[in-house]
Amino acid sequence: MTSVSVEKQTTAQEAHTDDYSLDRVPRSERNMGWLSITNITFGIATAIFYFQMGSVMALQFGAINALISSAYAIIVAGVLGSFIAYFSAKSGMNVNLMSRGGGFGYIGASLTSLIYASNFILYVAFEGLILVAAVYTFFPSIPEWVLIIFFGTIVIPLNWFGIKQLDKLQKWSLPIFFIFLIAAIAFSFFTPSVYEGSFWTYMPEGVEVGGTALLACIGMHHGIMGLTALLASDYTRFLKPKDIKKGSIIIGFVPQFFCFGIMGGLGIWFGVRLAEANPGVYIVTLLGLGGALFTMLTQLRINVTNIYSASLSLSNFFENMFRFTPGRRFWVVVSGIAAIMLMLGGIVDHLGAVMTFQGVFLLAWAAVLVADALIVKKVLKIGPLYYEARQQYLYKWNPVGTVSLIVASILGTIAALGFMGEFLASTAAFFAAILAAILTVVLAIATKGRYYMKKQPADMPEEDFIA
């Protein structure tokens, strides 16, 4: 065997063990069915965070406003998620790699990779603290910092073997999750309701259907919708080619329906019946120690997906910027340690500010990718009809996506802080997404697509074309 072939084999083996974090998934490795990938994405869909969101919205702004906003979130995130899933499955790339050839250039895409990675590390910390609080309720003799280190560390080995391990973990834990969930619903029927009417008729004094209350609920949903739409790309790149059309829609919509419809709806139900917004309180009230175990299961399920996505994004950033490629497992450890430090540092005190910026940024990023693929590439035929991630073929910067995202994120954040009026404060992320999409098209036309490719590759299979 020649040295060249040995090198290629070694590279292929490293890519396989590293879950192809730095290049497209080869077609020979796209062998996962839509059911397996949907199952993995349920790791985020079953998070207790969605209980809390539903409960808070219902108690502050009325159940009907929360339900209307949930339907809006399912539709918008489902549509964006389906398109992102389709592009990912066709190209064999996640959103970090797609961004390189999708309007950002390879250095421009590093911006998205770093913020995306920080997003997931922050969510590991937020979700981890929910778990720590639930366990600390029953075992107050154990210092909280010990629980933080323990639960922050345990997700590292659960991520060691990549997507195949995630599939097995989520598959075997999902039935246990449903047993706990059904038990919580059943016990709630035997717990006297604080509110005497039908839960969906609950409305706080002075609050009306629609108007400011509905916009407030929509604003809360915007904080997470971009994440749920983009997240699936880390897994749909492994989707079987024959499952792409049907699987993209299912993977795009089913997790959104479960996040905002089932979990969010149950959060509204529990919150109104028990007059409590914190699921860490009412789940434990309903199930006792079982509630703590339920919380532990849900938070571990979501945090293994958060760590996985963070590791992929960090791999992309450091390979792009510094040619530093220690492997995905190294970044799993780094992500876990960073999340532990954030938990110990009290990051939860800054949850509102973080959610505001990231909601704007992530929804705008998704809008850039969708506008670039559907309008710029497919309709206007500007730039390549495929995604390229290798640096030798790309410019460092492409103003089409980079400028669109930066401008939309800055203006969206200013709007979210209330400087553009009450309406835009609540719809800032949606405003940023529309602005980002428009700017993407305008800049693509203005630059005539000259910054997409430095030179054309000769080895791009036509099957990987997205348009």
Side-chain angles (χ1 to χ4, degrees):
M1 185 179 294
T2 67
S3 60
V4 175
S5 61
V6 169
E7 184 179 350
K8 287 183 177 179
Q9 184 180 26
T10 302
T11 301
Q13 288 173 346
E14 288 175 355
H16 180 70
T17 57
D18 208 30
D19 274 25
Y20 304 99
S21 58
L22 302 177
D23 201 357
R24 72 178 68 243
V25 176
R27 295 188 72 80
S28 60
E29 295 294 332
R30 300 178 206 175
N31 50 24
M32 295 187 70
W34 62 265
L35 186 59
S36 290
I37 293 175
T38 303
N39 168 63
I40 294 174
T41 61
F42 261 66
I44 188 171
T46 55
I48 272 183
F49 175 82
Y50 297 103
F51 276 171
Q52 186 163 14
M53 183 179 289
S55 299
V56 169
M57 287 191 297
L59 292 175
Q60 289 187 8
F61 306 111
I64 191 66
N65 286 318
L67 289 168
I68 294 171
S69 181
S70 296
Y72 162 82
I74 292 169
I75 294 169
V76 175
V79 170
L80 285 175
S82 295
F83 281 123
I84 296 292
Y86 177 82
F87 304 145
S88 171
K90 283 288 287 183
S91 65
M93 298 181 180
N94 66 0
V95 288
N96 293 299
L97 290 172
M98 285 160 54
S99 293
R100 296 187 189 183
F104 290 87
Y106 70 85
I107 296 298
S110 297
L111 169 70
T112 63
S113 295
L114 183 62
I115 298 179
Y116 198 42
S118 67
N119 170 85
F120 284 109
I121 292 171
L122 285 164
Y123 275 110
V124 171
F126 293 147
E127 303 289 355
L129 287 171
I130 293 175
L131 171 54
V132 167
V135 174
Y136 185 72
T137 301
F138 282 92
F139 303 102
S141 60
I142 303 176
E144 286 188 274
W145 67 267
V146 172
L147 294 174
I148 286 173
I149 293 174
F150 175 75
F151 288 116
T153 303
I154 198 172
V155 293
I156 294 175
L158 293 176
N159 244 289
W160 206 246
F161 297 104
I163 194 165
K164 301 296 183 182
Q165 182 182 19
L166 286 182
D167 183 28
K168 291 179 181 178
L169 176 67
Q170 304 292 25
K171 185 181 297 179
W172 290 108
S173 62
L174 190 61
I176 302 172
F177 164 83
F178 278 116
I179 290 171
F180 276 119
L181 182 63
I182 293 169
I185 295 171
F187 275 95
S188 72
F189 280 106
F190 295 100
T191 302
S193 175
V194 176
Y195 179 64
E196 296 180 357
S198 300
F199 84 99
W200 56 271
T201 64
Y202 174 80
M203 191 70 69
E205 187 177 349
V207 176
E208 299 178 352
V209 177
T212 304
L214 178 58
L215 288 175
C217 291
I218 289 173
M220 290 181 67
H221 271 130
H222 280 161
I224 192 69
M225 284 164 53
L227 174 69
T228 59
L230 291 164
L231 176 68
S233 74
D234 287 333
Y235 313 107
T236 48
R237 61 203 177 105
F238 291 96
L239 187 63
K240 293 177 181 178
K242 70 180 183 68
D243 286 353
I244 288 178
K245 289 185 178 179
K246 175 178 69 175
S248 297
I249 296 174
I250 293 172
I251 296 165
F253 270 96
V254 170
Q256 318 298 339
F257 178 77
F258 202 87
C259 286
F260 305 114
I262 304 299
M263 295 293 285
L266 285 171
I268 297 170
W269 157 267
F270 288 134
V272 171
R273 282 185 61 87
L274 303 174
E276 174 59 59
N278 189 344
V281 174
Y282 60 68
I283 292 297
V284 171
T285 299
L286 292 171
L287 299 180
L289 182 59
L293 295 174
F294 180 43
T295 303
M296 186 183 303
L297 178 68
T298 60
Q299 302 316 93
L300 288 177
R301 279 172 56 83
I302 187 174
N303 268 353
V304 292
T305 63
N306 283 336
I307 286 282
Y308 180 78
S309 293
S311 69
L312 293 179
S313 297
L314 287 175
S315 295
N316 272 277
F317 175 77
F318 281 91
E319 187 267 342
N320 246 345
M321 295 296 294
F322 306 108
R323 299 296 179 94
F324 181 55
T325 56
R328 189 189 62 84
R329 289 173 177 171
F330 174 84
W331 296 116
V332 166
V333 176
V334 170
S335 300
I337 293 173
I340 290 171
M341 298 304 293
L342 288 173
M343 284 189 276
L344 292 172
I347 186 61
V348 73
D349 296 333
H350 307 284
L351 177 60
V354 171
M355 290 282 288
T356 296
F357 171 74
Q358 295 198 336
V360 167
F361 172 83
L362 292 173
L363 212 58
W365 182 19
V368 169
L369 290 174
V370 172
D372 173 78
L374 289 183
I375 302 176
V376 175
K377 285 181 166 60
K378 192 173 182 66
V379 176
L380 300 177
K381 306 297 182 185
I382 297 175
L385 303 179
Y386 52 84
Y387 289 118
E388 177 56 74
R390 292 169 292 186
Q391 292 186 10
Q392 63 265 36
Y393 297 107
L394 299 169
Y395 287 99
K396 290 184 178 181
W397 300 94
N398 186 342
V400 173
T402 307
V403 173
S404 299
L405 181 62
I406 291 173
V407 171
S409 296
I410 291 174
L411 292 179
T413 301
I414 292 172
L417 295 174
F419 293 105
M420 295 186 183
E422 186 176 331
F423 177 77
L424 284 181
S426 298
T427 59
F430 190 75
F431 160 69
I434 296 298
L435 180 59
I438 293 172
L439 287 173
T440 298
V441 176
V442 170
L443 289 171
I445 294 172
T447 60
K448 299 179 181 179
R450 62 171 295 190
Y451 296 103
Y452 276 88
M453 302 292 294
K454 189 159 52 177
K455 60 180 179 178
Q456 300 292 328
D459 59 350
M460 184 61 61
E462 192 171 337
E463 295 89 345
D464 285 358
F465 283 29
I466 64 163

